[in-house]
C-alpha cells in the first residue's frame, strides 16, 4: 500500500446538470472508485462509452473537478495542498497522451516546438531543452530529421510518437494514456504499444491506461478496473479478471469481443446483452448493470451490491455472484 | 440468371485527379455469401464500396465493370442503372448518426427508403417501416417512429440505418464498417442481427472492416486490400489458417490477443501505409515487406499458390513465408 505511486480512495466526480425537462439533476460520472498504481506498473480502466473511464483520468490530472475522495500521490495527500502547489506537483509528475494525435498537436507548430513547449512553459533553458528534445525523440524512435516538420508532414503513428515524446519531456512518473492507440491503424498500433512498454521498462513509468479495447488492455496492463456507468464492476490483477471473470458484465464484455481466429470465434458462445446502456442521468439505484444483466433479481434493482473479494485476488460488485 | 453471382466486379479501377485509389480489383459475392473486404485506412476499401453503389465522388474516373446478377451496370442508361442499383442493393455506413437526416423522423427515413426504391405509397411504406423496425430489434416502433436521430443512442441509430437498408428487401447489402463506431456489447448484438437476416433472407453482403475479429466472426470469404489492390483473397478459414501474402500474415500476427502471452514485444510491420495514390512501383507492400528483393520491382499477379483454386495471393515469395515466423 505504501509503495504505491498513486493511491485513490472513493473518488467521485459529480456534475450538476439540467435535464431536458428543466430539472436539476446530478450526473455521477465517477461514483466511488478506489485503486492504487504501483511504481512502474500499468493500471487499465476499461468500459464502454459513458462509463466514466476518461473522466476518472481527467479527475486525477486536475482536469475534471473532484467532488469527493482522496488522492494521495507519492505519500502526499493532494487535498491538503494549496491549489498552486497541487498544480505544480501535477504538472511536474503527471502527463497525458490523448487518443487523436492530430487533434492533440498544434498544426502550426513544428514537432520540435510541440515537444519543447512544456519545457518552455516551465522555464527550462534552451541548451537543456535541446538536450532533452534529442533524448525523448530518440526514446520514442523519432529521427531528429523530423524535428523541423509540421504534424501534417508525418504519419499518424509518428504523430502519436510526438505526443508521447512531449509527455516525456518533463520527466513525469505517471502518464495517463487515454485510448492511445484507438485512432491508429492496426499495423501501427503494435509499434506504439511496444514503445509504451519499452519506455516503462527503461524509465520506470507508471501508466493509467484508459481503453475500450480489451485485447490491448490484456496485453499491457498489470491490473484492470472494469467500469459501468461510473461504478466499478470488477477489479484486480489482469490474469484472473480476463481468465476467470466473476462479474456478469465482465463476462459479457469479454464474450462480445470477436476473436481474430475463425475456429475459436465460431466455437464460443456470445452473451448478447439486452437493451442499451442507460443514460448516466438515469442510472439505476441499485446495481447500475441491472437493466441488462442476465442474472439480475429484485434485490439488484433496489440494493447497491457491496464489493466482495474473490479467491482469485479480484474484487467485484454483484449480489448473485457473492458467496452467500 | 440464377447461376449468375449477385455481384461481380471485374478489374475495377478508381482514379481521382490522376491518383489511382483502387487498381485492378475483382470481387464476387454469391447469394447468402458474406464477403469481407479488409484493410487499413486509405487502402481503397470504402472507395470500392462507393463505386459499386454508384456513389463515388464526381471527380472519380471509373474503369472496369460492375455486374449485378449478370447485368453490367455500364451497359444501362444512367437512369436504368440507378434503378437497378436501388432495387438490388442497400448500404449501411459507419457513422449511424451522420448517415441519418437529423431533421427527419427516423421512421420516415426508413419508409422513404422503400418509397425511393419501389415507389410504394406513404401509408404502405409506414406500415412496412414499423414492421422492419420491430424486426431489427427496435422496441416500441410505434413510439420510436416519430423520434429524431438525436433522441436515440448510437446503437439504436444503427438499427434504424439497418431497417432503412432492409425495407426494400435488397439482395445485396454493402456494409461499410457497420459496427466500428459502436460499443462492443452493442456491436455483438448488431453482428448477430446481420447474421440472422442473412440466414432468413439469403441476402449477400460485402462487409468492409479493419477488424480481423469481425471478419473471423462473420465472413465466408475474405479479401485483403493494401494500397488500392487486393493482395490476398480466399475462403475465410484458409486465409486465417494459411495466410499466403506477407501482409496478411504480418497483420494477423501483430494483433494483441485475448489468449496467450502478455506483456511481450508485439510483432510490428515496419514503416507506415503509403500515401493514397502514391504507391511504390511493383509490389506495393515491398517498402515494408521483410521478404522484398529485386523481383518485387515487378507487380505480382493475384494467383493460386496451393491446391485450392479459390485462395489467391499476389506475392513473388510465397515459398519463403516461413522466414517471417
Amino acid at each position: 500500500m505504501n509503495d504505491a505511486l498513486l493511491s485513490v480512495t472513493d473518488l467521485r466526480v459529480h456534475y450538476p446538470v439540467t435535464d431536458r425537462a428543466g430539472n436539476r439533476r446530478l450526473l455521477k460520472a465517477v461514483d466511488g472508485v478506489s485503486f492504487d498504481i504501483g511504481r512502474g506498473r500499468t493500471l487499465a480502466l476499461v468500459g464502454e462509452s459513458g462509463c466514466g473511464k476518461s473522466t476518472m483520468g481527467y479527475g486525477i490530472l486536475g482536469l475534471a473537478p473532484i467532488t469527493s475522495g482522496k488522492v494521495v500521490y507519492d505519500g502526499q495527500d493532494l487535498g491538503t495542498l494549496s491549489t498552486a502547489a497541487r498544480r505544480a506537483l501535477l504538472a511536474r509528475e503527471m502527463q497525458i497522451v490523448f487518443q487523436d494525435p492530430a487533434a492533440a498537436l498544434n498544426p502550426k507548430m513544428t514537432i520540435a516546438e510541440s515537444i519543447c513547449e512544456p519545457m518552455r512553459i516551465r522555464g527550462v533553458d534552451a541548451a537543456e531543452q535541446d538536450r532533452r528534445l534529442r533524448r525523448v525523440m530518440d526514446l520514442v524512435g523519432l529521427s531528429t530529421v523530423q524535428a523541423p516538420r509540421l504534424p501534417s508532414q508525418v504519419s499518424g503513428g509518428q504523430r502519436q510518437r510526438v505526443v508521447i515524446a512531449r509527455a516525456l519531456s518533463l520527466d513525469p512518473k505517471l502518464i495517463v494514456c487515454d485510448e492511445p492507440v484507438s485512432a491508429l491503424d492496426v499495423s501501427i498500433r503494435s509499434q506504439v504499444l511496444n514503445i509504451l512498454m519499452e519506455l516503462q521498462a527503461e524509465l520506470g513509468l507508471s501508466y493509467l491506461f484508459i481503453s475500450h479495447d480489451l485485447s490491448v488492455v490484456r496485453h499491457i496492463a498489470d491490473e484492470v478496473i472494469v467500469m459501468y456507468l461510473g461504478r466499478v464492476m470488477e477489479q484486480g490483477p489482469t490474469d484472473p479478471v480476463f481468465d476467470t471473470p466473476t462479474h456478469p458484465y465482465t463476462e459479457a464484455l469479454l464474450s462480445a469481443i470477436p476473436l481474430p481466429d475463425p475456429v475459436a470465434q465460431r466455437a464460443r458462445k456470445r452473451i448478447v446483452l439486452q437493451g442499451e446502456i442507460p443514460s448516466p442521468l438515469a442510472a439505476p439505484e441499485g446495481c447500475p448493470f441491472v437493466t441488462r444483466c442476465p442474472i439480475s433479481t429484485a434485490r439488484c434493482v433496489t440494493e447497491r451490491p457491496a464489493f466482495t473479494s474473490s479467491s482469485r485476488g479480484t474484487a467485484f460488485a454483484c449480489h448473485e455472484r457473492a458467496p452467500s | 440468371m440464377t447461376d449468375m453471382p449477385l455481384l461481380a466486379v471485374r478489374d475495377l479501377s478508381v482514379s481521382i485527379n490522376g491518383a489511382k485509389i483502387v487498381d485492378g480489383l475483382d470481387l464476387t459475392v454469391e447469394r447468402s455469401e458474406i464477403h469481407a473486404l479488409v484493410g487499413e485506412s486509405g487502402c481503397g476499401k470504402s472507395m470500392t464500396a462507393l463505386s459499386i453503389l454508384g456513389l463515388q465522388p464526381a471527380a472519380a474516373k471509373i474503369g472496369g465493370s460492375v455486374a449485378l446478377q449478370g447485368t453490367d451496370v455500364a451497359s444501362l442508361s444512367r437512369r436504368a442503372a440507378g434503378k437497378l442499383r436501388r432495387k438490388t442493393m442497400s448500404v449501411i455506413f459507419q457513422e449511424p448518426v451522420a448517415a441519418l437526416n437529423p431533421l427527419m423522423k427516423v421512421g420516415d427515413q426508413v419508409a422513404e427508403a422503400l418509397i425511393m426504391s419501389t415507389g410504394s405509397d406513404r401509408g404502405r411504406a409506414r406500415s412496412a417501416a414499423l414492421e422492419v423496425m420491430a424486426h431489427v430489434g427496435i422496441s416500441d416502433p410505434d413510439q420510436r417512429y416519430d423520434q429524431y436521430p438525436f433522441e436515440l443512442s448510437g446503437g439504436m441509430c444503427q438499427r434504424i440505418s439497418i431497417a432503412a437498408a432492409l425495407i426494400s428487401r435488397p439482395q445485396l447489402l454493402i456494409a461499410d464498417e457497420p459496427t466500428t463506431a459502436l460499443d462492443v456489447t452493442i456491436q455483438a448484438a448488431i453482428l448477430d442481427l446481420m447474421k440472422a437476416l442473412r440466414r432468413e433472407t439469403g441476402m449477400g453482403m460485402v462487409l468492409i472492416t479493419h477488424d480481423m475479429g469481425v471478419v473471423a466472426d462473420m465472413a465466408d470469404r475474405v479479401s485483403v486490400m493494401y494500397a488500392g489492390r487486393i493482395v490476398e483473397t480466399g475462403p475465410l478459414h484458409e486465409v486465417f489458417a494459411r495466410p499466403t501474402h506477407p501482409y496478411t500474415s504480418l497483420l494477423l500476427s501483430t494483433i494483441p490477443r485475448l489468449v496467450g502471452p502478455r506483456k511481450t514485444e508485439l510483432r510490428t510491420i515496419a514503416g507506415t501505409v503509403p500515401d493514397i495514390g502514391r504507391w511504390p512501383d511493383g509490389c506495393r507492400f515491398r517498402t515494408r515487406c521483410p521478404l522484398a528483393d529485386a523481383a518485387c520491382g515487378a507487380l505480382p499477379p493475384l494467383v493460386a499458390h496451393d491446391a485450392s483454386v479459390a485462395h489467391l495471393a499476389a506475392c513473388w515469395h510465397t515459398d519463403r513465408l516461413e522466414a517471417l515466423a
Side-chain angles (χ1 to χ4, degrees), chain A residues 42-80:
Chain A
T42 301
L43 172 80
L45 297 177
V46 305
E48 301 178 282
S49 2
C51 74
K53 57 189 191 298
S54 288
T55 307
M56 179 83 224
Y58 297 162
I60 288 164
L61 288 164
L63 301 175
I66 293 174
T67 309
S68 70
K70 196 162 135 182
V71 180
V72 177
Y73 179 83
D74 209 0
Q76 246 186 323
D77 184 343
L78 297 190
T80 65

mmCIF file of all heavy atoms in Angstrom, chain A residues 42-80:
data_model
loop_
_atom_site.group_PDB
_atom_site.id
_atom_site.type_symbol
_atom_site.label_atom_id
_atom_site.label_comp_id
_atom_site.label_asym_id
_atom_site.label_seq_id
_atom_site.Cartn_x
_atom_site.Cartn_y
_atom_site.Cartn_z
ATOM 1 N N THR A 42 1.169 -0.705 -14.648
ATOM 2 C CA THR A 42 0.102 -0.212 -15.511
ATOM 3 C C THR A 42 -1.248 -0.647 -14.968
ATOM 4 O O THR A 42 -1.491 -1.842 -14.770
ATOM 5 C CB THR A 42 0.260 -0.761 -16.949
ATOM 6 O OG1 THR A 42 1.524 -0.358 -17.450
ATOM 7 C CG2 THR A 42 -0.844 -0.230 -17.859
ATOM 8 N N LEU A 43 -2.105 0.335 -14.716
ATOM 9 C CA LEU A 43 -3.481 0.043 -14.332
ATOM 10 C C LEU A 43 -4.362 0.460 -15.494
ATOM 11 O O LEU A 43 -4.249 1.580 -15.999
ATOM 12 C CB LEU A 43 -3.876 0.839 -13.088
ATOM 13 C CG LEU A 43 -5.365 0.735 -12.725
ATOM 14 C CD1 LEU A 43 -5.655 -0.569 -11.997
ATOM 15 C CD2 LEU A 43 -5.824 1.909 -11.882
ATOM 16 N N ALA A 44 -5.241 -0.429 -15.930
ATOM 17 C CA ALA A 44 -6.129 -0.091 -17.042
ATOM 18 C C ALA A 44 -7.542 0.144 -16.541
ATOM 19 O O ALA A 44 -8.028 -0.566 -15.658
ATOM 20 C CB ALA A 44 -6.130 -1.210 -18.074
ATOM 21 N N LEU A 45 -8.184 1.183 -17.108
ATOM 22 C CA LEU A 45 -9.601 1.421 -16.872
ATOM 23 C C LEU A 45 -10.315 1.026 -18.150
ATOM 24 O O LEU A 45 -10.030 1.581 -19.207
ATOM 25 C CB LEU A 45 -9.866 2.897 -16.595
ATOM 26 C CG LEU A 45 -9.242 3.530 -15.350
ATOM 27 C CD1 LEU A 45 -9.577 5.019 -15.305
ATOM 28 C CD2 LEU A 45 -9.760 2.845 -14.095
ATOM 29 N N VAL A 46 -11.225 0.065 -18.065
ATOM 30 C CA VAL A 46 -11.932 -0.359 -19.273
ATOM 31 C C VAL A 46 -13.434 -0.207 -19.078
ATOM 32 O O VAL A 46 -13.938 -0.192 -17.962
ATOM 33 C CB VAL A 46 -11.607 -1.816 -19.667
ATOM 34 C CG1 VAL A 46 -10.126 -2.027 -19.819
ATOM 35 C CG2 VAL A 46 -12.188 -2.809 -18.682
ATOM 36 N N GLY A 47 -14.117 -0.110 -20.200
ATOM 37 C CA GLY A 47 -15.564 0.010 -20.155
ATOM 38 C C GLY A 47 -16.044 0.691 -21.414
ATOM 39 O O GLY A 47 -15.239 1.174 -22.216
ATOM 40 N N GLU A 48 -17.353 0.754 -21.585
ATOM 41 C CA GLU A 48 -17.925 1.308 -22.808
ATOM 42 C C GLU A 48 -18.177 2.802 -22.652
ATOM 43 O O GLU A 48 -17.944 3.372 -21.586
ATOM 44 C CB GLU A 48 -19.212 0.545 -23.135
ATOM 45 C CG GLU A 48 -18.940 -0.933 -23.326
ATOM 46 C CD GLU A 48 -20.207 -1.717 -23.598
ATOM 47 O OE1 GLU A 48 -20.964 -1.995 -22.657
ATOM 48 O OE2 GLU A 48 -20.439 -2.019 -24.767
ATOM 49 N N SER A 49 -18.667 3.444 -23.729
ATOM 50 C CA SER A 49 -18.861 4.893 -23.665
ATOM 51 C C SER A 49 -19.733 5.273 -22.476
ATOM 52 O O SER A 49 -20.704 4.591 -22.165
ATOM 53 C CB SER A 49 -19.499 5.453 -24.937
ATOM 54 O OG SER A 49 -19.797 4.480 -25.860
ATOM 55 N N GLY A 50 -19.364 6.359 -21.829
ATOM 56 C CA GLY A 50 -20.164 6.861 -20.721
ATOM 57 C C GLY A 50 -19.914 6.155 -19.409
ATOM 58 O O GLY A 50 -20.607 6.403 -18.433
ATOM 59 N N CYS A 51 -18.917 5.267 -19.337
ATOM 60 C CA CYS A 51 -18.701 4.534 -18.091
ATOM 61 C C CYS A 51 -17.888 5.364 -17.101
ATOM 62 O O CYS A 51 -17.764 5.003 -15.948
ATOM 63 C CB CYS A 51 -18.038 3.189 -18.337
ATOM 64 S SG CYS A 51 -16.293 3.298 -18.740
ATOM 65 N N GLY A 52 -17.291 6.473 -17.564
ATOM 66 C CA GLY A 52 -16.568 7.352 -16.644
ATOM 67 C C GLY A 52 -15.070 7.147 -16.657
ATOM 68 O O GLY A 52 -14.349 7.766 -15.882
ATOM 69 N N LYS A 53 -14.567 6.299 -17.566
ATOM 70 C CA LYS A 53 -13.131 5.992 -17.525
ATOM 71 C C LYS A 53 -12.267 7.203 -17.873
ATOM 72 O O LYS A 53 -11.254 7.438 -17.231
ATOM 73 C CB LYS A 53 -12.801 4.781 -18.410
ATOM 74 C CG LYS A 53 -13.209 4.889 -19.868
ATOM 75 C CD LYS A 53 -13.033 3.540 -20.554
ATOM 76 C CE LYS A 53 -13.155 3.641 -22.072
ATOM 77 N NZ LYS A 53 -14.472 4.121 -22.565
ATOM 78 N N SER A 54 -12.676 7.997 -18.852
ATOM 79 C CA SER A 54 -11.887 9.189 -19.194
ATOM 80 C C SER A 54 -12.011 10.249 -18.109
ATOM 81 O O SER A 54 -11.018 10.878 -17.728
ATOM 82 C CB SER A 54 -12.338 9.774 -20.539
ATOM 83 O OG SER A 54 -11.923 8.932 -21.584
ATOM 84 N N THR A 55 -13.223 10.447 -17.573
ATOM 85 C CA THR A 55 -13.431 11.418 -16.502
ATOM 86 C C THR A 55 -12.550 11.088 -15.305
ATOM 87 O O THR A 55 -11.984 11.971 -14.664
ATOM 88 C CB THR A 55 -14.912 11.428 -16.068
ATOM 89 O OG1 THR A 55 -15.712 11.621 -17.229
ATOM 90 C CG2 THR A 55 -15.182 12.522 -15.066
ATOM 91 N N MET A 56 -12.438 9.805 -15.025
ATOM 92 C CA MET A 56 -11.579 9.341 -13.934
ATOM 93 C C MET A 56 -10.143 9.830 -14.157
ATOM 94 O O MET A 56 -9.516 10.384 -13.246
ATOM 95 C CB MET A 56 -11.640 7.804 -13.961
ATOM 96 C CG MET A 56 -10.823 7.112 -12.946
ATOM 97 S SD MET A 56 -11.717 7.049 -11.399
ATOM 98 C CE MET A 56 -10.392 7.501 -10.346
ATOM 99 N N GLY A 57 -9.622 9.638 -15.367
ATOM 100 C CA GLY A 57 -8.263 10.084 -15.679
ATOM 101 C C GLY A 57 -8.126 11.584 -15.559
ATOM 102 O O GLY A 57 -7.160 12.095 -14.980
ATOM 103 N N TYR A 58 -9.120 12.305 -16.077
ATOM 104 C CA TYR A 58 -9.069 13.773 -16.011
ATOM 105 C C TYR A 58 -9.138 14.246 -14.568
ATOM 106 O O TYR A 58 -8.482 15.218 -14.193
ATOM 107 C CB TYR A 58 -10.212 14.400 -16.828
ATOM 108 C CG TYR A 58 -10.137 14.088 -18.298
ATOM 109 C CD1 TYR A 58 -11.257 14.242 -19.116
ATOM 110 C CD2 TYR A 58 -8.965 13.648 -18.890
ATOM 111 C CE1 TYR A 58 -11.202 13.961 -20.478
ATOM 112 C CE2 TYR A 58 -8.899 13.362 -20.247
ATOM 113 C CZ TYR A 58 -10.019 13.509 -21.033
ATOM 114 O OH TYR A 58 -9.964 13.227 -22.363
ATOM 115 N N GLY A 59 -9.931 13.564 -13.745
ATOM 116 C CA GLY A 59 -10.067 13.934 -12.332
ATOM 117 C C GLY A 59 -8.714 13.879 -11.631
ATOM 118 O O GLY A 59 -8.343 14.780 -10.879
ATOM 119 N N ILE A 60 -7.965 12.810 -11.914
ATOM 120 C CA ILE A 60 -6.655 12.659 -11.272
ATOM 121 C C ILE A 60 -5.693 13.756 -11.722
ATOM 122 O O ILE A 60 -4.907 14.274 -10.946
ATOM 123 C CB ILE A 60 -6.102 11.258 -11.566
ATOM 124 C CG1 ILE A 60 -6.906 10.247 -10.757
ATOM 125 C CG2 ILE A 60 -4.620 11.157 -11.232
ATOM 126 C CD1 ILE A 60 -6.734 8.850 -11.215
ATOM 127 N N LEU A 61 -5.787 14.122 -13.011
ATOM 128 C CA LEU A 61 -4.885 15.151 -13.543
ATOM 129 C C LEU A 61 -5.320 16.566 -13.165
ATOM 130 O O LEU A 61 -4.658 17.532 -13.539
ATOM 131 C CB LEU A 61 -4.842 15.055 -15.069
ATOM 132 C CG LEU A 61 -4.101 13.852 -15.660
ATOM 133 C CD1 LEU A 61 -4.462 13.685 -17.116
ATOM 134 C CD2 LEU A 61 -2.601 14.033 -15.495
ATOM 135 N N GLY A 62 -6.431 16.684 -12.446
ATOM 136 C CA GLY A 62 -6.929 18.010 -12.101
ATOM 137 C C GLY A 62 -7.648 18.679 -13.252
ATOM 138 O O GLY A 62 -7.875 19.888 -13.235
ATOM 139 N N LEU A 63 -8.030 17.903 -14.286
ATOM 140 C CA LEU A 63 -8.739 18.476 -15.437
ATOM 141 C C LEU A 63 -10.247 18.320 -15.314
ATOM 142 O O LEU A 63 -10.994 18.796 -16.149
ATOM 143 C CB LEU A 63 -8.255 17.814 -16.746
ATOM 144 C CG LEU A 63 -6.756 17.938 -17.044
ATOM 145 C CD1 LEU A 63 -6.380 17.140 -18.286
ATOM 146 C CD2 LEU A 63 -6.365 19.395 -17.216
ATOM 147 N N ALA A 64 -10.697 17.585 -14.291
ATOM 148 C CA ALA A 64 -12.126 17.488 -14.002
ATOM 149 C C ALA A 64 -12.271 17.713 -12.499
ATOM 150 O O ALA A 64 -11.401 17.303 -11.733
ATOM 151 C CB ALA A 64 -12.668 16.111 -14.398
ATOM 152 N N PRO A 65 -13.340 18.421 -12.079
ATOM 153 C CA PRO A 65 -13.472 18.750 -10.650
ATOM 154 C C PRO A 65 -13.852 17.525 -9.821
ATOM 155 O O PRO A 65 -14.831 16.847 -10.111
ATOM 156 C CB PRO A 65 -14.599 19.783 -10.644
ATOM 157 C CG PRO A 65 -15.409 19.472 -11.862
ATOM 158 C CD PRO A 65 -14.465 18.914 -12.881
ATOM 159 N N ILE A 66 -13.038 17.241 -8.809
ATOM 160 C CA ILE A 66 -13.323 16.104 -7.940
ATOM 161 C C ILE A 66 -14.349 16.530 -6.894
ATOM 162 O O ILE A 66 -14.190 17.556 -6.232
ATOM 163 C CB ILE A 66 -12.029 15.601 -7.275
ATOM 164 C CG1 ILE A 66 -11.111 15.007 -8.347
ATOM 165 C CG2 ILE A 66 -12.319 14.591 -6.188
ATOM 166 C CD1 ILE A 66 -9.747 14.598 -7.832
ATOM 167 N N THR A 67 -15.446 15.754 -6.782
ATOM 168 C CA THR A 67 -16.496 16.069 -5.824
ATOM 169 C C THR A 67 -16.087 15.614 -4.431
ATOM 170 O O THR A 67 -16.226 16.351 -3.459
ATOM 171 C CB THR A 67 -17.808 15.386 -6.246
ATOM 172 O OG1 THR A 67 -18.062 15.710 -7.608
ATOM 173 C CG2 THR A 67 -18.967 15.843 -5.378
ATOM 174 N N SER A 68 -15.584 14.392 -4.339
ATOM 175 C CA SER A 68 -15.095 13.906 -3.052
ATOM 176 C C SER A 68 -14.142 12.755 -3.285
ATOM 177 O O SER A 68 -14.060 12.213 -4.383
ATOM 178 C CB SER A 68 -16.263 13.464 -2.160
ATOM 179 O OG SER A 68 -16.833 12.282 -2.685
ATOM 180 N N GLY A 69 -13.446 12.379 -2.231
ATOM 181 C CA GLY A 69 -12.492 11.284 -2.344
ATOM 182 C C GLY A 69 -11.081 11.774 -2.098
ATOM 183 O O GLY A 69 -10.827 12.973 -2.064
ATOM 184 N N LYS A 70 -10.203 10.824 -1.929
ATOM 185 C CA LYS A 70 -8.843 11.165 -1.541
ATOM 186 C C LYS A 70 -7.875 10.709 -2.640
ATOM 187 O O LYS A 70 -7.967 9.593 -3.122
ATOM 188 C CB LYS A 70 -8.535 10.446 -0.226
ATOM 189 C CG LYS A 70 -7.332 10.970 0.500
ATOM 190 C CD LYS A 70 -7.413 10.501 1.960
ATOM 191 C CE LYS A 70 -6.076 9.983 2.424
ATOM 192 N NZ LYS A 70 -6.121 9.489 3.806
ATOM 193 N N VAL A 71 -6.964 11.599 -3.038
ATOM 194 C CA VAL A 71 -5.921 11.240 -3.989
ATOM 195 C C VAL A 71 -4.576 11.476 -3.320
ATOM 196 O O VAL A 71 -4.251 12.605 -2.960
ATOM 197 C CB VAL A 71 -6.016 12.100 -5.284
ATOM 198 C CG1 VAL A 71 -4.920 11.705 -6.274
ATOM 199 C CG2 VAL A 71 -7.394 11.955 -5.931
ATOM 200 N N VAL A 72 -3.828 10.397 -3.127
ATOM 201 C CA VAL A 72 -2.517 10.514 -2.497
ATOM 202 C C VAL A 72 -1.460 10.173 -3.532
ATOM 203 O O VAL A 72 -1.462 9.077 -4.096
ATOM 204 C CB VAL A 72 -2.403 9.556 -1.278
ATOM 205 C CG1 VAL A 72 -0.999 9.635 -0.666
ATOM 206 C CG2 VAL A 72 -3.453 9.904 -0.235
ATOM 207 N N TYR A 73 -0.562 11.150 -3.786
ATOM 208 C CA TYR A 73 0.494 10.917 -4.753
ATOM 209 C C TYR A 73 1.828 10.868 -4.032
ATOM 210 O O TYR A 73 2.195 11.825 -3.345
ATOM 211 C CB TYR A 73 0.504 12.030 -5.815
ATOM 212 C CG TYR A 73 1.604 11.834 -6.822
ATOM 213 C CD1 TYR A 73 1.426 10.978 -7.903
ATOM 214 C CD2 TYR A 73 2.839 12.457 -6.671
ATOM 215 C CE1 TYR A 73 2.438 10.749 -8.812
ATOM 216 C CE2 TYR A 73 3.867 12.236 -7.569
ATOM 217 C CZ TYR A 73 3.660 11.381 -8.636
ATOM 218 O OH TYR A 73 4.670 11.154 -9.526
ATOM 219 N N ASP A 74 2.520 9.786 -4.160
ATOM 220 C CA ASP A 74 3.848 9.632 -3.563
ATOM 221 C C ASP A 74 3.825 10.020 -2.078
ATOM 222 O O ASP A 74 4.697 10.744 -1.599
ATOM 223 C CB ASP A 74 4.848 10.525 -4.340
ATOM 224 C CG ASP A 74 6.258 9.938 -4.303
ATOM 225 O OD1 ASP A 74 6.429 8.867 -3.681
ATOM 226 O OD2 ASP A 74 7.172 10.551 -4.880
ATOM 227 N N GLY A 75 2.808 9.567 -1.364
ATOM 228 C CA GLY A 75 2.691 9.830 0.064
ATOM 229 C C GLY A 75 2.080 11.164 0.427
ATOM 230 O O GLY A 75 1.851 11.460 1.594
ATOM 231 N N GLN A 76 1.792 11.997 -0.591
ATOM 232 C CA GLN A 76 1.250 13.328 -0.312
ATOM 233 C C GLN A 76 -0.231 13.406 -0.654
ATOM 234 O O GLN A 76 -0.618 13.138 -1.800
ATOM 235 C CB GLN A 76 2.001 14.354 -1.160
ATOM 236 C CG GLN A 76 2.813 15.294 -0.337
ATOM 237 C CD GLN A 76 3.436 16.375 -1.171
ATOM 238 O OE1 GLN A 76 3.862 16.125 -2.299
ATOM 239 N NE2 GLN A 76 3.492 17.569 -0.631
ATOM 240 N N ASP A 77 -1.050 13.765 0.318
ATOM 241 C CA ASP A 77 -2.483 13.906 0.079
ATOM 242 C C ASP A 77 -2.720 15.203 -0.700
ATOM 243 O O ASP A 77 -2.502 16.295 -0.176
ATOM 244 C CB ASP A 77 -3.210 13.923 1.430
ATOM 245 C CG ASP A 77 -4.729 13.959 1.239
ATOM 246 O OD1 ASP A 77 -5.193 14.296 0.127
ATOM 247 O OD2 ASP A 77 -5.433 13.654 2.221
ATOM 248 N N LEU A 78 -3.147 15.078 -1.942
ATOM 249 C CA LEU A 78 -3.304 16.262 -2.792
ATOM 250 C C LEU A 78 -4.351 17.229 -2.230
ATOM 251 O O LEU A 78 -4.296 18.424 -2.477
ATOM 252 C CB LEU A 78 -3.674 15.868 -4.223
ATOM 253 C CG LEU A 78 -2.652 15.044 -5.013
ATOM 254 C CD1 LEU A 78 -3.053 14.956 -6.472
ATOM 255 C CD2 LEU A 78 -1.252 15.622 -4.898
ATOM 256 N N GLY A 79 -5.309 16.680 -1.466
ATOM 257 C CA GLY A 79 -6.360 17.520 -0.890
ATOM 258 C C GLY A 79 -5.832 18.491 0.150
ATOM 259 O O GLY A 79 -6.473 19.492 0.455
ATOM 260 N N THR A 80 -4.644 18.214 0.721
ATOM 261 C CA THR A 80 -4.108 19.091 1.758
ATOM 262 C C THR A 80 -3.228 20.194 1.181
ATOM 263 O O THR A 80 -2.783 21.082 1.896
ATOM 264 C CB THR A 80 -3.256 18.297 2.776
ATOM 265 O OG1 THR A 80 -2.117 17.775 2.079
ATOM 266 C CG2 THR A 80 -4.040 17.151 3.384
#
